[in-house]
Amino acid sequence: MSHKDKQKVWVKFIIFTLVVGGIVAVFSVMSDHLPLVTSMTTPELMVSYVAIMLNSLPGWFIMAMVVGYVFGTRTRQAACFGSLYIVSSITMYFVIGHFYNDQPDSVVWGLKDILYTFITWYGASVVGGIIGGIVGFLFTKKPFVLVTLPAGLLLQLFLNGTRGWSDILGMAQSVTYCLIIISVFIYFFRLKTLKNKKVKHFA
């Protein structure tokens, strides 16, 4: 890849991060300030569903996969793009969320709180972005890496527990996770079936 082509990839990545990452950040902030489900209208429920899906660990991981798939030309680059996207989105999430902060202005975070937030949020973002970017990049070459997605979704369902089925939004999110898991295994089954057909054809 020439230097000019690399510049084009970076420009497209930056635009994607600002636009898509910004949208994800806005919806993520919205999901932190949702009204009671019982008081929502149907359109509000639909928007809230999108918001909670995007503002979830699986949602952020899937977006990193998309970045790695679309912009990665090699493993290291995909990991870099994935982590940069997540860190940028998290930063926009913090900035936008600041204007929706319910805490009074007199509340000031201490150094310990800031360090804890930095280590947990940004540390997890970098790790998740790297893994997601690599998985997205390797997907076309080694589809089996997609197994990380249902594994993560099962973990999320376990962590949510009964709370994930306590209201209509939680149920919608949990059902979506289950459908994604089933879809991935159907995809694996189809791959295996096609592979067996090819083997029989050349046998």
Side-chain angles (χ1 to χ4, degrees), residues 1 82 131 135 137 157 192:
M1 181 181 292
I131 297 174
V135 170
F137 171 70
L157 286 170
K192 186 176 181 180

Side-chain angles (χ1 to χ4, degrees), residues 166-183:
S166 59
D167 56 55
I168 188 171
L169 284 178
M171 286 188 288
Q173 185 182 50
S174 298
V175 169
T176 302
Y177 289 163
C178 292
L179 291 175
I180 294 175
I181 292 170
I182 294 171
S183 299

Side-chain angles (χ1 to χ4, degrees), residues 64-80:
M65 287 175 56
V66 172
V67 169
Y69 176 81
V70 174
F71 298 102
T73 57
R74 58 184 185 277
T75 305
R76 184 179 298 180
Q77 185 187 50
C80 176

